[in-house]
Amino acid sequence: MSDWKQNLQKTRYVMDVIFLIGFMLVSAPQATGLPLHEWFSVVLIIPFMIHLLLHWDWAKSSFKRLCSKVTIKERFNIVWSYLIYLMMLLVFVSGFLVSEAIFPFLGIPLEIQDFWSKIHHDSATLIMPMLGVHLALHWSWIIKFTKRMTTKETLA
Amino acid sequence: MKHLNYRLKPRLTVALAISVLISLMLILLELTPWAEQINLQGYSHGNGEKPDIPSYMRFILPFVKELILIGVPMLLTVFVMKFYGFLKSLYKAKRINN
């Protein structure tokens, strides 16, 4: 595991695990409390961006591949990835617009609309099963790299 | 992390620019009749009385909810994909035998 920074797939694995743990912490405001939930959300933008950057080549070529002849699974995976990205942005945007800790802390007055409260609650709930499907679409990769990361590599 | 640092600035700028642009477009949703309707109807979440459960459960239950909401669709999708793969291999084997 020590060489994970040198190998792209291993870097992706480690950063995705961090992103997933961060996501789970942020998605439990009842456990962490609202101020921590909001500040964690801001920090979560970093692993979210890292996730996008580490899959840059895939993201760049995905639209082209969508228009070419690919399997149903791959087509579904591309569309699903776009949808989950949009949903993630919606959760972030609505979260900021219903902020009760960050904006008051920064001295910015914010009138919270019921619409954004509902959107934030619904999108945050919906993104969880969406994430489940997203993980399932990469199941074989997850299993393969979990094994590779947890077993000690022996020198040939 | 060499893979992350490779062309970091231009890539990060593009990723952030696209995300901010889409986010700004999403804010426009509040101008729709849908938003107006919800604002008129009113919505409140989490303002009710807290259920009478031990404090440690109040900490654990949100994570259990998450595990179920993520885990169940994940396992169902994995099952559907494995089943689809099984049917496909069965169909292929049948075609070869015929």
Side-chain angles (χ1 to χ4, degrees), chain B residues 81-97:
Chain B
M81 285 191 322
K82 298 258 179 205
F83 187 65
Y84 178 72
F86 170 72
L87 285 181
K88 220 174 153 182
S89 62
L90 212 68
Y91 177 73
K92 258 187 186 171
K94 225 177 180 179
R95 267 182 65 181
I96 291 167
N97 286 337

Side-chain angles (χ1 to χ4, degrees), chain B residues 39-95:
Chain B
N39 283 330
L40 281 172
Q41 280 174 350
Y43 175 83
S44 68
H45 171 70
N47 292 333
E49 278 182 30
K50 286 181 179 169
D52 189 24
I53 50 171
S55 56
Y56 71 92
M57 285 299 278
R58 231 175 275 161
F59 183 77
I60 291 168
L61 281 178
F63 293 105
V64 174
K65 179 190 158 191
E66 274 186 65
L67 285 176
I68 292 169
L69 279 173
I70 296 171
V72 173
M74 183 179 80
L75 293 176
L76 277 174
T77 313
V78 169
F79 174 76
V80 169
M81 285 191 322
K82 298 258 179 205
F83 187 65
Y84 178 72
F86 170 72
L87 285 181
K88 220 174 153 182
S89 62
L90 212 68
Y91 177 73
K92 258 187 186 171
K94 225 177 180 179
R95 267 182 65 181

Side-chain angles (χ1 to χ4, degrees), chain A residues 43-99:
Chain A
V43 177
L44 195 72
I45 293 173
I46 298 167
F48 177 55
M49 278 294 140
I50 290 175
H51 185 75
L52 293 179
L53 293 173
L54 289 176
H55 293 82
W56 187 264
D57 295 325
W58 181 89
K60 240 174 91 177
S61 65
S62 63
F63 191 73
K64 266 187 196 166
R65 289 221 308 280
L66 196 62
C67 303
S68 64
K69 202 180 172 186
V70 287
T71 60
I72 299 170
K73 188 190 165 191
E74 190 167 6
R75 196 175 293 275
F76 181 75
N77 183 26
I78 293 169
V79 174
W80 200 257
S81 300
Y82 289 164
L83 284 176
I84 205 165
Y85 168 67
L86 281 178
M87 192 56 79
M88 196 73 185
L89 288 181
L90 188 62
V91 175
F92 275 128
V93 166
S94 56
F96 281 120
L97 293 173
V98 297
S99 165

Side-chain angles (χ1 to χ4, degrees), chain B residues 12-59:
Chain B
L12 187 64
T13 309
V14 172
L16 274 172
I18 293 172
S19 301
V20 169
L21 192 74
I22 296 172
S23 300
L24 289 172
M25 282 162 72
L26 287 172
I27 292 176
L28 295 177
L29 279 174
E30 70 177 42
L31 303 172
T32 60
W34 175 43
E36 201 177 316
Q37 193 191 352
I38 292 170
N39 283 330
L40 281 172
Q41 280 174 350
Y43 175 83
S44 68
H45 171 70
N47 292 333
E49 278 182 30
K50 286 181 179 169
D52 189 24
I53 50 171
S55 56
Y56 71 92
M57 285 299 278
R58 231 175 275 161
F59 183 77

Side-chain angles (χ1 to χ4, degrees), chain A residues 4-53:
Chain A
W4 67 270
K5 288 178 189 172
Q6 303 304 317
N7 182 307
L8 175 63
Q9 297 289 347
K10 286 184 179 179
T11 309
R12 279 179 179 163
Y13 184 88
V14 172
M15 297 318 289
D16 287 355
V17 168
I18 293 170
F19 187 25
L20 182 64
I21 294 169
F23 175 87
M24 292 195 74
L25 273 173
V26 164
S27 300
Q30 300 93 336
T32 57
L34 208 57
L36 270 183
H37 164 71
E38 290 186 16
W39 287 108
F40 279 165
S41 307
V42 176
V43 177
L44 195 72
I45 293 173
I46 298 167
F48 177 55
M49 278 294 140
I50 290 175
H51 185 75
L52 293 179
L53 293 173

